[in-house]
Amino acid sequence: MTNFSKYIAQFDSVLKSAVISDSNFDEIKETGFNEIIALFGELKKNNGTVYLVGNGGSSGIISHVSIDLINACKIKAHPITDNSILTCLANDYGYEEVFSQALSTLINENDILIAVSSSGNSKNIINA
């Protein structure tokens, strides 16, 4: 089993123990897992990149996920957490647009965005 396969199997196990819901808080656990696994497989095949955004503690989560994607899965992953980029874009466009402005330049058709928000109400995450 390759490192990528091992990581996906481990990731699948962790995800199956989590609660995944849509914006109405209706549980979508089964379809969500299958979609994530398929998306990562396609991304890797197409040499895409994962971009990650989050505030506060969620920023720490996305940082850790990006390390796992790079190290275990050999997938290009970039958390948008650089202070200079964030403060520049927040100053020029407002904090609600800080991630969407960066992504408008960075993200391509074959890429994936992982956006983490504990509350689900962070405007900058929603806008991303």
Side-chain angles (χ1 to χ4, degrees), residues 28-53:
I28 58 168
K29 184 183 275 189
E30 293 306 317
T31 58
F33 297 131
N34 295 335
E35 288 176 30
I36 290 169
I37 291 168
L39 285 172
F40 279 150
E42 283 297 309
L43 176 94
K44 190 168 174 69
K45 185 173 86 174
N46 294 322
N47 198 32
T49 300
V50 176
Y51 291 97
L52 304 99
V53 297

Side-chain angles (χ1 to χ4, degrees), residues 15 18-33 36 115 117-120:
L15 287 177
V19 175
I20 299 174
S21 61
D22 61 18
S23 59
N24 296 318
F25 299 100
D26 295 324
E27 196 166 320
I28 58 168
K29 184 183 275 189
E30 293 306 317
T31 58
F33 297 131
I36 290 169
S117 172
S118 297
S119 70

Side-chain angles (χ1 to χ4, degrees), residues 111-126:
D111 296 338
I112 291 175
L113 171 65
I114 296 177
V116 178
S117 172
S118 297
S119 70
N121 297 320
S122 300
K123 282 288 190 195
N124 61 346
I125 302 296
I126 293 167

Side-chain angles (χ1 to χ4, degrees), residues 55 80-103 123-124 127:
N55 297 309
I80 301 177
T81 56
D82 179 79
N83 287 336
S84 296
I85 292 171
L86 294 177
T87 57
C88 170
L89 296 176
N91 185 61
D92 290 355
Y93 302 100
Y95 195 66
E96 290 184 355
E97 302 300 329
V98 69
F99 296 127
S100 62
Q101 285 297 317
L103 290 167
K123 282 288 190 195
N124 61 346
N127 291 341

